[in-house]
Amino acid sequence: MGSGKTSIGRRLADRFGLAFVDVDREIEARTGASINTIFECEGEAGFRARERATLAELFDGGRTTVIATGGGAVLDAATRALLHARGFVVHLHVSVEQQLARLARDRTRPLLAGPDREAVLRRLAVAREPLYVEASHLRFDTDALTTAEAAARLGSLLDIRWRQAPGQGPAPHETPA
């Protein structure tokens, strides 16, 4: 949350002339229900199955696409494997302090509805970080960057790397300087 997945993803898609899909919005469009409603009716397991199926369909579509997943997509082992095997996954890393600043006025995040947002974000970071490492090919820190700066720097990094080794992305788990 607050790393810039959707905003940066859209800018990267524009830069490279690719389609952009936010998986959560895609699931909502396909079902006619909000993510919260899906969680309420089908539980997390039902939502994760929909998320995995949607990603598989996007990969099978034969079209290069910039995809933004929710931060919890990595919780499902099959989804992690699918992402790593079929995509080039960039983990947009953000510190808890920066998340708190960016999400200070955001009241739309169910996981942050309780009184101690910082504790929730710290718990999520500890639990999810190893899963992000497992699923991703590149870790990119967005802490000190605006959306425009992050998209420009990440876009340049990807462009340079792919020109150096056509068909190859940056080295696994490379953290840009």
Side-chain angles (χ1 to χ4, degrees), residues 17-70:
L18 301 172
F20 172 79
V21 176
D22 178 302
V23 173
D24 286 352
R25 300 300 76 81
E26 182 70 15
I27 292 169
E28 288 177 334
R30 290 177 179 201
T31 63
S34 71
I35 299 303
N36 287 343
T37 300
I38 296 168
F39 264 82
E40 288 170 14
C41 295
E42 300 178 1
E44 184 170 3
F47 172 75
R48 296 294 171 211
R50 287 182 182 276
E51 183 177 56
R52 185 175 52 255
T54 300
L55 283 164
E57 287 177 29
L58 290 169
F59 287 130
D60 289 343
R63 184 174 176 192
T64 302
T65 305
V66 175
I67 300 171
T69 68

Side-chain angles (χ1 to χ4, degrees), residues 11 15 34 43 53 60 65 69 83 88 90 94 100 112 121 128-129 137 142 150-151 157 162 167 170 176:
R11 287 176 185 249
R15 175 184 177 138
S34 71
D60 289 343
T65 305
T69 68
L83 288 167
F88 182 82
V90 177
V94 63
L100 288 167
L112 299 182
L121 291 171
R128 292 179 178 181
E129 184 65 26
H137 299 90
T142 68
L157 176 67
W162 285 326

